[in-house]
Amino acid sequence: MTAGTTEPEEYATGRAERRREQRGWYFYDFACSVYSTSVLTVFLGPYLTSVARAAADAEGFVHPLGIPVRAGSLFAYAVSASIVVAVLVMPMVGAVADRTGRKKPLLAAAAYLGATATAGMFFLAGERYLLGAFLLIVANASLAVSMMLYNAYLPQIAEPDERDAVSSRGWAFGYTSGALVLVLNLVLYSGHDSFGLTEGEAIRICLASAGVWWGAFTLVPLRRLRDRRIHPERLEGADVGAVGGGWRQLRATLKDMRRHPLTLSFLLAYLVYNDGVQTVISQASLYGSEELGLDQTTLITAVLLVQVLAVAGALGMGRLARSYGAKRTILGSLAVWTLILAAAYFLPADAPVFFFTLAAAIGLVLGGSQALSRSLFSHLVPRGKEAEYFSAYEMSDRGLSWLGPLVFGLAYQLTGSYRDAIISLVIFFVVGFTLLARVPVRRAAEAAGNAVPDRI
C-alpha cells in the first residue's frame, strides 16, 4: 500500500472494534436483500402486472392519474419513478448524515419505512394496482436511501486493503439470506393448496414476509454500528439539524465533486453499467413469465440458483481482484454480462433448462461486479464526504436507476416484444465498459487524498 495521510479520529478504530462493526454491517445486507430477491426480482413484477391487467381496459391499458399505460409496462415505470423519488431525497439525507455524523438514526428510519411498505403489500389484491405501484415506489426509494447510508460506512469500518474482501462478504451475506428465504417461499408457493391458500394469497404472504424479515434483522447493524464524532471545524457555521442546511451542504458537495473529475468519471461509468445490471435483475422474472412462458415455480428456482451461485461469485471475484485488481475484474464481468443478454434474446420459450443455464451465468458475475464496484468507489471518495458521494453512487445501485427500466418499458410499449426490450439493455454494458476502461483509478484514489492498495 502506498503511503497515505493519517486517518482522522472518526475513522481510526482498533482491529477488534473494526471486526465487530464489520460483522454487524454484513447483517444489513442480510436483512434487506430479501426484498431485492423475493419482492423485486421474483414475485412483484409478474404479480403487479397481473393485478394491473385485471384492472385494464379492453385495449390492455390502465390509467393512473389519467395517463394511459400498458399494463405490462406498469412495473417498470413504477421502478423508474421510485428512483426519481430517491434522487430527490438521497443527496439531502447524505448531506445531513455527513454534517452530523449520525448515519444510524437515518438508516433506521429509511429501513423501517421500506420494511413497513413491503409488509403492506399483503393488501395488494384484486385490482389495486395503484396501491401496488405506490408501495413499490416507497419501498424501493427507502431501500436506495438506506443502502446509501449503509455503503457510506465502508470507508470508516475497513482499511483500504480490506475493502474488496469486506464488501464481497457483505454481498455474500445478502445472497445467502435471499437463497434461504426463497427456499421457504418456494415451499409455501408450490404447496399453497396444502396450506389452504390461493396462489394470490401465497404470493402476498411471501411479499409481506420480506418486509418482516427486513425489519427484524435490521436490529443487528443498528446495535453494532456506531456514529462517528465530527470534528468541530466541520461544524463551524453549520445548521446541522436543518433541512435547509442539508441542501446548502448539497450545493457545496456538487461544487466539490467538480474538483474530483476522475471520481466523477468512475461514477458515470458505474451509473451506466449498473443501470443495466439492476434492470436485468428487476425485469428477469417478467421476461421469463411473459416472453418465455415459464411458470412461477421455475422462476423461483432460477432465482434461487442465482442466489446460491452469487455467494460463490462474490467471494471468487473478490479473490480475483486481489490478483488482477478490482477494475480489471469488473471489466471482465461486463463482457460476460453482454454475452448473457445476447443469449437471453435467443432463448427458446418453454425451455427451463436453458433459462437455468442463463441464471447460473448471471449468479457467477452478479455479486462480484456489484461488490467490487462498491469497494472500488470507496477508494475514490474524499474523507468526510462518504454519505454525500455514496448518495450519487446509490442512485444507480440496489434501488435501481430510472433510465434502464424506462428503456425496457418503452421498448416493450413500442414493440410489444420483451425480447426487443431485453436486448435494448446491451447498450448499457457496452458504454459502461468503454467509460470504465478509460478511468485511471489509481490516480483517482490519490487525487481524492486516500491511501491506495497495491492492486486496484
Side-chain angles (χ1 to χ4, degrees):
M1 183 188 303
T2 59
T5 57
T6 302
E7 293 284 359
E9 184 180 341
E10 67 233 51
Y11 292 79
T13 57
R15 181 180 177 84
E17 186 175 353
R18 285 206 316 276
R19 292 290 185 267
R20 183 179 188 276
E21 283 198 272
Q22 287 167 9
R23 287 191 291 269
W25 186 79
Y26 300 148
F27 266 93
Y28 189 68
D29 241 326
F30 191 85
C32 70
S33 289
V34 172
Y35 166 84
S36 298
T37 303
S38 292
V39 176
L40 203 60
T41 304
V42 177
F43 288 109
L44 189 56
Y47 185 68
L48 181 57
T49 299
S50 70
V51 171
R53 284 184 172 150
D57 59 22
E59 287 75 35
F61 287 83
V62 290
H63 300 269
L65 304 177
I67 302 170
V69 172
R70 191 185 291 269
S73 294
L74 178 70
F75 175 69
Y77 287 159
V79 168
S80 184
S82 73
I83 289 306
V84 174
V85 174
V87 165
L88 295 175
V89 174
M90 282 193 296
M92 182 187 69
V93 174
V96 172
D98 281 335
R99 288 168 68 91
T100 63
R102 293 177 58 79
K103 295 183 183 70
K104 194 157 66 170
L106 296 170
L107 174 62
Y112 284 108
L113 178 60
T116 301
T118 305
M121 292 177 185
F122 178 79
F123 301 102
L124 177 57
E127 299 181 358
R128 297 175 181 171
Y129 74 93
L130 281 176
L131 174 64
F134 172 75
L135 292 175
L136 169 58
I137 290 169
V138 172
N140 225 36
S142 297
L143 177 69
V145 173
S146 70
M147 285 301 296
M148 174 267 292
L149 295 162
Y150 165 75
N151 288 337
Y153 273 102
L154 181 58
Q156 297 179 327
I157 65 172
E159 298 290 343
D161 57 359
E162 296 177 319
R163 290 179 198 166
D164 287 346
V166 170
S167 183
S168 295
R169 289 188 200 110
W171 283 105
F173 263 62
Y175 288 120
T176 299
S177 74
L180 173 61
V181 174
L182 264 185
V183 170
L184 300 177
N185 290 160
L186 183 59
V187 170
L188 178 63
Y189 177 80
S190 60
H192 60 82
D193 286 334
S194 62
F195 291 106
L197 301 170
T198 66
E199 180 180 354
E201 288 170 341
I203 290 174
R204 290 190 288 119
I205 290 173
C206 291
L207 293 172
S209 65
V212 175
W213 182 284
W214 185 358
F217 283 99
T218 294
L219 293 173
V220 179
L222 292 180
R223 287 179 62 87
R224 292 288 185 93
L225 294 171
R226 67 180 180 87
D227 286 329
R228 263 62 179 175
R229 182 177 64 83
I230 301 299
H231 288 306
E233 59 268 20
R234 283 171 54 188
L235 299 178
E236 291 179 0
D239 184 8
V240 296
V243 171
W247 282 109
R248 288 193 294 274
Q249 182 62 43
L250 172 59
R251 289 194 293 271
T253 300
L254 294 175
K255 292 180 182 179
D256 182 72
M257 291 178 79
R258 293 200 294 268
R259 296 173 48 240
H260 301 281
L262 298 180
T263 299
L264 286 178
S265 295
F266 171 81
L267 184 60
L268 176 61
Y270 175 79
L271 292 176
V272 173
Y273 71 72
N274 195 60
D275 200 345
V277 171
Q278 296 298 338
T279 307
V280 172
I281 294 170
S282 69
Q283 306 301 322
S285 289
L286 194 60
Y287 181 73
S289 63
E290 298 297 325
E291 185 67 37
L292 303 182
L294 302 175
D295 60 36
Q296 192 71 49
T297 300
T298 299
L299 296 176
I300 296 173
T301 305
V303 175
L304 179 59
L305 180 61
V306 170
Q307 298 298 302
V308 172
L309 290 179
V311 175
L315 298 176
M317 286 181 65
R319 293 190 181 95
L320 286 175
R322 288 203 294 267
S323 299
Y324 301 102
K327 177 183 172 181
R328 289 182 179 178
T329 307
I330 294 169
L331 288 172
S333 75
L334 297 183
V336 175
W337 274 109
T338 303
L339 295 175
I340 286 171
L341 284 180
Y345 180 80
F346 292 105
L347 275 186
D350 299 315
V353 173
F354 290 103
F355 193 71
F356 290 150
T357 302
L358 201 66
I362 289 175
L364 290 174
V365 295
L366 173 60
S369 59
Q370 293 176 317
L372 294 178
S373 295
R374 176 169 65 186
S375 61
L376 181 55
F377 184 68
S378 74
H379 294 293
L380 313 184
V381 177
R383 292 186 181 92
K385 300 287 185 179
E386 292 84 9
E388 294 171 56
Y389 273 66
F390 268 109
S391 70
Y393 176 91
E394 187 60 30
M395 287 175 191
S396 191
D397 201 2
R398 295 269 293 274
L400 309 182
S401 72
W402 62 272
L403 185 57
L406 181 61
V407 168
F408 186 93
L410 285 174
Y412 175 75
Q413 179 138 342
L414 293 174
T415 68
S417 169
Y418 283 108
R419 292 186 188 274
D420 292 337
I422 203 73
I423 201 65
S424 70
L425 302 178
V426 166
I427 188 65
F428 291 95
F429 295 101
V430 173
V431 173
F433 181 100
T434 303
L435 292 174
L436 178 60
R438 296 168 59 88
V439 179
V441 291
R442 180 172 295 276
R443 187 147 52 91
E446 293 171 346
N450 295 321
V452 186
D454 293 331
R455 293 194 181 275
I456 189 173

